[in-house]
Amino acid sequence: MTTLSTTLAKRLEDPRLFRQYAYVNGKWTHGEGGREEAVYDPATNEAIGHIPLLEAEQITAAVDAAEAAFVQWRALRADERCERLLAWYDLIQANREDLATIMTLEQGKPLPDARGEVQYGASFVRWFAEEGKRTYGETIPSHIPNASLGTIKEPVGIAAMITPWNFPLAMITRKAAAALAAGCPVIVKPANETPYSALALAELAERAGIPAGIFNVVLGDPAEVSKILCSESRIRALSFTGSTRVGRLLIEQSANTVKRLSLELGGNAPFIVGPDMDPKEAAFAAIDAKFQTAGQDCLAANRILVHESIHDEFVEHFSERMAALTVGNGLQSEIDLGPLIHRQAVEKAAAIVDDAISKGATVIGGDQSQAPGENFFMPVMLTGVTAQMKVWREENFAPVAGITAYSTDDEVIEMANDTEYGLAAYIYTHDIRRIWKLMRALEYGMVSVNSVKMTGPPVPFGGVKQSGLGREGGATGIDEYLETKYYCLGALGSVSGS
Ligand SMILES: NC(=O)c1ccc[n+]([C@@H]2O[C@H](COP(=O)([O-])OP(=O)(O)OC[C@H]3O[C@@H](n4cnc5c(N)ncnc54)[C@H](O)[C@@H]3O)[C@@H](O)[C@H]2O)c1
Ligand SMILES: N[C@@H](CC=O)C(=O)O
């Protein structure tokens, strides 16, 4: 098999950012059982390198290392941890072009989007570096005579993180920076499709002075590694971003060790367009909300619900704009959509389109004979979609947009909530009463009104229903890695009533 690893390294200003080993206890580690797996560029299907698959004892060794390193990391002052995290942030920024190149090669997203993700990922490091200094406890007015009551915040312990391939860098930093700032050591298991962004982050963490054992990246068979992480009682927090299917599995596997779980799972976002909207403006926004990362985004607008009075005009603008989207290798310039992650994703997208057509949807676009490679999927718009179709029920994670018309606000609320998911919803209207009514009635963790962009470091990101548990980012994201310790200082003699 041809390996393009030399080619990848040559593309980087700093070839040491491309590592083909796991990173445990400050050391680059190969698999002791000799197992390895190739990593492919989804645009060309060529192997760009290999990763070792670690054995069970090696995963346990990572936990041992984290446990040993925890003692000193938690003992640092918050401002000392802040300094290390800011050094990490600076290094990520300084190496952003290399990080973006690595990401495009392993994930496929166009280079400008990869640059955007590096920036986005770095922003969480800076945010949590600062938030670590604000993990306040509280003073509680005492109901016990001569006692002083209060709380202090303490790191929860070793935190494991299992992350997806669609955002190979930012889904790590949003978790890891919060945990590190809170004083927790971290063990990251990235997706096997996109390990190199995680490993480059480890290289930069080491250069930033984050001690051995505090930031580890383990690689292996996903089911095997995850089982160990879940059943390891020394791991006190598990943060997962990925599909609802795997999220449910991890809940089950963690039951015996009763650990803190943060789950950022799938989405199936509705995009609601009110009758007062300019159909062109709304259609262009819907294109952005649907087709970023080639539709492989948990926030992708999958079900576009347009008021019947402007539906036809909206569809016209949407289809015109969709036809202008460029599909190709993300390393080339002027590309809007890169490949899907692998062939199975293309097959799933095709099956979803076929299912909709067989149940009466009208298809526009999506001439797959124009696809520039076997992992590419040309964008498709389906109109007249109904709740019986897979495109409505499933997260398609592909450039497949389902559109349908509605007539009243009550009807669109029911349609939008008709899903097991509850991550994000979009509303496009300028009628403040409609905005308020919809915003309150939508069963979603995040609602964005007249804006495609909704995320960033200050935001409490997360979903309800089968979209997950907990919030990442924002003022509360660090709480996922903190325990509240209550104290009662009794028999003080002089504090009652004072
Ligand atoms: N809510 C969010 O913030 C958010 C963000 C990004 C992606 N996602 C979701 O992630 C999904 C796409 O990512 P994906 O395909 O990588 O998800 P996935 O669930 O298949 O994989 C996620 C992680 O779990 C691991 N994994 C896979 N199978 C496993 C198993 N049997 N046991 C244990 N671990 C296993 C993978 O190796 C990967 O590291 C979508 O559903 C998307 O909505 C959610
Ligand atoms: N776009 C999301 C990732 C979802 O796939 C984010 O900003 O976190």
Side-chain angles (χ1 to χ4, degrees):
M1 181 184 303
T2 358
T3 290
L4 295 186
S5 47
T6 336
T7 321
L8 194 160
K10 274 193 188 147
R11 282 181 179 275
L12 305 180
E13 279 168 42
D14 182 350
R16 285 178 311 147
L17 289 179
F18 175 52
R19 297 286 191 165
Q20 300 186 73
Y21 297 96
Y23 182 74
V24 175
N25 199 17
K27 294 190 181 66
W28 296 102
T29 307
H30 61 81
E32 282 167 3
R35 292 185 295 160
E36 59 173 28
E37 197 170 285
V39 178
Y40 297 93
D41 173 354
T44 60
N45 259 342
E46 288 170 298
I48 52 173
H50 289 81
I51 48 165
L53 304 181
L54 302 191
E55 301 305 314
E57 306 74 52
Q58 295 184 279
I59 308 297
T60 304
V63 184
D64 296 341
E67 187 180 32
F70 182 35
V71 181
Q72 289 189 347
W73 186 249
R74 72 177 298 174
L76 290 180
R77 292 191 315 271
D79 63 298
E80 292 173 315
R81 286 195 294 268
C82 171
E83 289 307 319
R84 311 279 174 96
L85 285 168
L86 289 179
W88 196 28
Y89 168 81
D90 287 342
L91 285 162
I92 295 171
Q93 288 289 19
N95 291 281
R96 58 178 172 257
E97 201 53 32
D98 279 351
L99 292 169
T101 302
I102 292 172
M103 193 186 298
T104 294
L105 279 163
E106 66 180 2
Q107 202 282 335
K109 65 180 70 180
L111 255 183
D113 291 3
R115 290 188 188 110
E117 186 185 335
V118 174
Q119 192 69 31
Y120 181 53
S123 71
F124 292 111
V125 179
R126 185 164 64 176
W127 173 267
F128 283 114
E130 297 298 339
E131 280 301 289
K133 294 188 282 189
R134 291 185 270 276
T135 55
Y136 305 118
E138 55 182 3
T139 302
I140 301 171
S142 178
H143 64 299
I144 302 171
N146 298 321
S148 180
L149 314 183
T151 62
I152 47 178
K153 296 288 176 80
E154 295 184 337
V156 66
I158 304 171
M161 310 175 166
I162 303 177
T163 55
W165 47 261
N166 66 334
F167 280 74
L169 190 142
M171 296 303 98
I172 294 175
T173 55
R174 191 161 63 191
K175 298 175 190 306
L180 294 172
C184 301
V186 158
I187 300 174
V188 180
K189 193 218 80 64
N192 286 14
E193 291 88 341
T194 57
Y196 297 131
S197 295
L199 296 165
L201 281 176
E203 168 68 25
L204 296 175
E206 181 175 298
R207 292 183 200 176
I210 293 178
I214 292 299
F215 185 87
N216 305 280
V217 179
V218 296
L219 302 165
D221 172 77
E224 254 173 61
V225 177
S226 304
K227 222 178 203 163
I228 300 170
L229 298 176
C230 290
S231 58
E232 172 57 76
S233 58
R234 290 175 295 169
I235 293 179
R236 298 311 314 140
L238 174 72
S239 180
F240 170 73
T241 296
S243 61
T244 297
R245 180 187 70 80
V246 174
R248 289 186 185 119
L249 209 66
L250 300 180
I251 295 175
E252 272 176 42
Q253 291 176 356
S254 298
N256 283 340
T257 53
V258 192
K259 46 177 58 72
R260 180 82 60 88
L261 290 179
S262 310
L263 303 173
E264 297 288 346
L265 308 178
N268 190 6
F271 187 104
I272 300 172
V273 184
D276 59 304
M277 275 307 292
D278 170 7
K280 184 173 177 184
E281 185 189 333
F284 284 17
I287 289 274
D288 289 344
K290 173 62 224 181
F291 293 116
Q292 276 171 15
T293 327
Q296 304 169 111
D297 191 316
C298 57
L299 303 179
N302 285 343
R303 295 172 300 138
I304 300 170
L305 311 172
V306 187
H307 192 265
E308 59 191 4
S309 60
I310 58 166
H311 171 270
D312 293 355
E313 246 190 292
F314 176 96
V315 164
E316 227 168 86
H317 291 298
F318 191 95
S319 116
E320 220 172 90
R321 184 79 164 193
M322 190 180 82
L325 293 172
T326 52
V327 180
N329 188 320
L331 291 176
Q332 292 162 1
S333 54
E334 311 285 323
I335 294 296
D336 296 311
L337 276 71
L340 300 191
I341 192 69
H342 37 48
R343 187 67 202 163
Q344 296 95 288
V346 171
E347 283 160 11
K348 178 181 166 191
I352 284 176
V353 172
D354 290 347
D355 170 79
I357 295 170
S358 75
K359 291 175 182 157
T362 302
V363 63
I364 299 171
D367 176 1
Q368 302 307 330
S369 69
Q370 299 300 308
E374 73 166 30
N375 293 342
F376 290 87
F377 198 79
M378 302 304 286
V380 177
M381 167 170 108
L382 295 163
T383 58
V385 302
T386 66
Q388 286 67 45
M389 298 174 185
K390 285 184 181 170
V391 68
W392 186 289
R393 305 244 69 89
E394 293 180 16
E395 180 184 34
N396 67 61
F397 236 51
V400 178
I403 303 182
T404 202
Y406 70 90
S407 51
T408 67
D409 288 345
D410 288 332
E411 186 192 6
V412 81
I413 289 168
E414 208 178 309
M415 290 162 93
N417 287 340
D418 178 25
T419 169
E420 64 174 359
Y421 296 105
L423 187 60
Y426 301 85
I427 302 171
Y428 270 71
T429 173
H430 295 297
D431 178 334
I432 185 68
R433 275 174 295 192
R434 173 171 295 120
I435 291 173
W436 187 248
K437 177 174 176 170
L438 296 184
M439 200 171 78
R440 296 305 305 268
L442 289 174
E443 297 163 353
Y444 288 84
M446 299 179 285
V447 179
S448 189
V449 181
N450 298 326
S451 176
V452 173
K453 183 170 170 53
M454 67 171 95
T455 63
V459 170
F461 190 103
V464 300
K465 292 162 75 177
Q466 308 292 305
S467 286
L469 299 171
R471 292 293 179 272
E472 288 192 333
T476 53
I478 199 164
D479 292 341
E480 305 284 323
Y481 304 97
L482 291 169
E483 287 289 6
T484 297
K485 180 175 278 175
Y486 159 71
Y487 64 84
C488 166
L489 293 176
L492 292 179
S494 63
V495 294
S496 284
S498 62

